Amino acid sequence: MATVLVTGANRGLGLEFCRQYAQDGWQVIACCRQPEQASALLALAGQYPVIQVEVLDVADFAAIDALAAKLAAIQLDVLLNNAGVYGDNRTNAFGELDYPLWLQSFVINTQAPMKMAEAFLPQLLRGGQKLVVNVSSLMGSVTDNTSGGSIYYRSSKAALNAAMKSLAIDLKPQAIGVLTLHPGWVKTDMGGPNALIEKEESISGMRQVIARFTLGQSGDFIKYDGNVMPW
């Protein structure tokens, strides 16, 4: 049985990743900060016994190490770094930037996925697919930025893209792949009601990209429909 670990699994894209992978018979390790409050995830786990719910705040790096130690014996096919934060809802105009909030965006959106990859490297080496997947955003593309704004989110996702490009090069000799995905503008709590696509379409598309991944694509930035994204 293939195994996927999903961060930010309690809602939105993360929850849908869990649902679709569980439906296909994968072992799913679903991580979120407060499982006791994640009613939708707990209901899904009740429906699919292959889902194992774990407590994890990705901003707590000691907690990441502790979870990796707890799950030391598993074989991990896909590490799916989905957890993220959009910190630009508060005032962030130039001259009024909230630097601690900006730093929090970097910790969660950029550093945490890298820490997850470091902590779960042994499990990935024992896995079949050996793939680190990161849910990024077209808003992290410097080329695509023609409107400005969203400084915290854009910069933290651009940094994620750059870091994962380097990681892809570093891990390639060990046959571990790194894939960064743009899910599209999805109707979730983060994407809002005016978004263009449903989460089912986005996740189905990203799962196809993951399933078809070859090591030659490691380090690529790809949209849910398979198109390569601009940096």
Side-chain angles (χ1 to χ4, degrees):
M1 182 184 296
T3 300
V4 59
L5 186 152
V6 183
T7 63
N10 57 305
R11 64 178 185 174
L13 299 180
L15 184 64
E16 184 61 18
F17 267 122
C18 292
R19 186 189 71 79
Q20 291 194 22
Y21 273 115
Q23 195 172 50
D24 281 356
W26 283 53
Q27 178 70 36
V28 178
I29 301 170
C31 304
C32 64
R33 287 181 299 165
Q34 298 175 307
E36 69 280 0
Q37 297 181 19
S39 56
L41 177 58
L42 293 176
L44 190 67
Q47 183 180 358
Y48 295 102
V50 291
I51 297 178
Q52 173 183 337
V53 179
E54 295 286 351
V55 180
L56 181 64
D57 180 350
V58 296
D60 183 344
F61 291 0
I64 292 176
D65 284 332
L67 182 61
K70 177 182 178 180
L71 302 176
I74 70 168
Q75 297 179 6
L76 190 57
D77 292 270
V78 177
L79 170 62
L80 214 163
N81 290 311
N82 167 74
V85 62
Y86 183 83
D88 293 89
N89 292 324
R90 305 180 194 177
T91 300
N92 70 323
F94 182 71
E96 300 178 323
L97 293 172
D98 183 333
Y99 285 90
L101 187 61
W102 192 358
L103 180 59
Q104 181 188 53
S105 295
F106 273 109
V107 170
I108 296 173
N109 293 345
T110 309
Q111 293 184 327
M114 186 65 74
K115 177 61 180 176
M116 289 291 296
E118 281 190 314
F120 284 91
L121 180 62
Q123 292 90 329
L124 283 164
L125 285 168
R126 290 195 298 271
Q129 194 167 3
K130 297 181 174 63
L131 182 57
V132 179
V133 178
N134 308 281
V135 177
S136 186
S137 171
L138 184 59
M139 291 182 73
S141 168
V142 177
T143 300
D144 186 73
N145 185 1
T146 58
S147 60
S150 300
I151 291 173
Y152 311 154
Y153 190 72
R154 287 186 185 279
S155 60
S156 63
K157 288 298 189 180
L160 171 66
N161 293 355
M164 289 301 163
K165 178 65 176 180
S166 286
L167 186 63
I169 295 168
D170 294 342
L171 293 184
K172 202 166 188 178
Q174 299 179 71
I176 294 178
V178 178
L179 182 60
T180 303
L181 298 175
H182 168 48
W185 187 14
V186 189
K187 293 178 182 178
T188 62
D189 289 344
M190 184 180 290
N194 297 322
L196 300 178
I197 62 172
E198 300 291 341
K199 59 183 180 294
E200 292 82 2
E201 179 184 357
S202 173
I203 299 306
S204 176
M206 287 192 286
R207 287 187 60 227
Q208 289 183 48
V209 174
I210 292 168
R212 296 169 183 167
F213 174 83
T214 64
L215 199 57
Q217 296 174 295
S218 195
D220 285 358
F221 182 25
I222 300 177
K223 191 176 180 181
Y224 75 95
D225 60 7
N227 290 317
V228 176
M229 292 282 91
W231 293 106

